[in-house]
Amino acid sequence: MAALYAHHLTYLTKSADQLLVCVEYDQERLSGPPFAVMAQDVERYYAQDYTITSIEHFPVANGIKGREPGYEHIWFLHAQKREFKK
């Protein structure tokens, strides 16, 4: 599902530069939403169309749902100049 969403977003924006905000936590200990999107997921979903740069990574105050330690991760996705195909 996340891969389809990432592909659709890339298509809709015609691979425009983007800021992406994700939460990271152990989903085996707590299920979403919000759903965790880890660094390797960002790479897998976006590396084909974007140069990916980590902007900031910091702990979520009070954790995810107040129970599970987690992090907010902000990424800059810089579009690689190429024709995007559906």
Side-chain angles (χ1 to χ4, degrees), residues 5 14 24 32 40 42 74 80 83 85-86:
Y5 175 79
K14 296 181 176 39
E24 300 174 338
Q40 62 268 25
V42 173
I74 302 171
Q80 298 174 12
E83 181 79 16
K85 295 188 170 112
K86 189 173 183 181

Side-chain angles (χ1 to χ4, degrees), residues 15-54:
S15 300
D17 290 352
Q18 299 180 45
L19 285 176
L20 178 66
V21 180
C22 304
V23 291
E24 300 174 338
Y25 66 94
D26 185 352
Q27 273 196 234
E28 290 185 13
R29 295 174 44 95
L30 180 70
S31 62
F35 297 100
V37 179
M38 309 305 279
Q40 62 268 25
D41 298 324
V42 173
E43 180 74 23
R44 184 172 68 239
Y45 301 147
Y46 293 101
Q48 179 178 338
D49 299 301
Y50 296 94
T51 300
I52 303 165
T53 305
S54 175

Side-chain angles (χ1 to χ4, degrees), residues 52-78:
I52 303 165
T53 305
S54 175
I55 301 292
E56 194 157 349
H57 186 257
F58 53 91
V60 173
N62 302 315
I64 306 298
K65 297 183 181 180
R67 300 191 332 229
E68 181 65 26
Y71 294 88
E72 194 165 340
H73 202 152
I74 302 171
W75 303 91
F76 177 64
L77 307 179
H78 178 68

